[in-house]
Amino acid sequence: MRRLLGARARRRWVHLILGGALLMPYFLLASVLLSPLTEGKSAFTSLPLTLAAYGIAVPLAAVSAPLFTLVRPLSVTAVRTLCGVPGEQLAEGPARSPAARGRAAAWWTLHLGVGAVVSGMTLAVPPMALVLFTLPVVGPGARARLGMDWFASGAAVYAAPLAGALLLAALAQCAAVAGALGPPVLTVPLLPAQRSIP
């Protein structure tokens, strides 16, 4: 349980949500770029458009990262504070060489891309679980309005809270796995004379 919800796992979860927040400007720009093709639909209300905007936003983040000198210092500070990576294993200051800028951009893109997925799950799963928890105590009409017809009657309606609990457990597991993958990537030495960096 500590691996899923302990202090370290929670801090890494926050680190991923920070990545999702940092992807939002790129996502909004991608939504604007898609708007002439969407016939008035929004990327916030259409799953295909959300995925399309995400598919554009992540490469935008990758391409623009080398242009910003603060990408590496921001990433290093977040990783040191939230992921528990020792400071001596992280390079300091802006990336100067093309190789360093490439590594910083790769980490930035990975952080934002994975963080956006975990952030989206974090926003969507708890409300869905709450709805599932309440289904046994609401009437069939309310279940139909919520689009929960598959839990409309019989024993299925009493399985809804179990489904909600499983969703929450799956979210915690996904966040823990995604959060645990980052620090080992950062601590692999690049060369004997170099320190690893995001």
Side-chain angles (χ1 to χ4, degrees):
M1 190 58 112
R2 175 179 287 184
R3 186 177 63 82
L4 295 180
L5 299 173
R8 176 177 289 183
R10 291 195 308 269
R11 286 195 303 270
R12 289 176 175 173
W13 200 336
V14 170
H15 180 255
L16 290 167
I17 290 173
L18 174 63
L22 290 170
L23 187 72
M24 280 308 295
Y26 302 103
F27 184 86
L28 293 173
L29 177 59
S31 300
V32 170
L33 294 174
L34 285 172
S35 60
L37 310 173
T38 60
E39 300 177 355
K41 294 180 182 176
S42 168
F44 293 98
T45 58
S46 166
L47 180 59
L49 290 178
T50 299
L51 296 175
Y54 175 82
I56 294 170
V58 172
L60 281 174
V63 169
S64 66
L67 304 175
F68 301 113
T69 58
L70 290 179
V71 162
R72 189 166 75 174
L74 179 63
S75 295
V76 165
T77 301
V79 167
R80 185 179 289 142
T81 305
L82 296 170
C83 293
V85 175
E88 64 273 8
Q89 294 178 335
L90 299 168
E92 297 287 347
R96 301 293 182 195
S97 70
R101 285 195 295 272
R103 289 190 299 269
W107 171 251
W108 176 259
T109 305
L110 180 66
H111 178 207
L112 271 59
V114 175
V117 173
V118 173
S119 295
M121 292 171 62
T122 302
L123 288 171
V125 168
M128 180 63 177
L130 182 60
V131 168
L132 291 170
F133 289 148
T134 61
L135 284 186
V137 296
V138 300
R143 289 195 288 272
R145 284 192 298 277
L146 290 169
M148 300 288 182
D149 293 334
W150 61 88
F151 289 115
S153 62
V157 74
Y158 296 104
L162 176 60
L166 290 174
L167 273 177
L168 290 174
L171 170 61
Q173 181 68 40
C174 288
V177 168
L181 289 178
V185 170
L186 296 174
T187 56
V188 175
L190 298 171
L191 291 172
Q194 290 179 311
R195 294 178 295 180
S196 68
I197 60 171

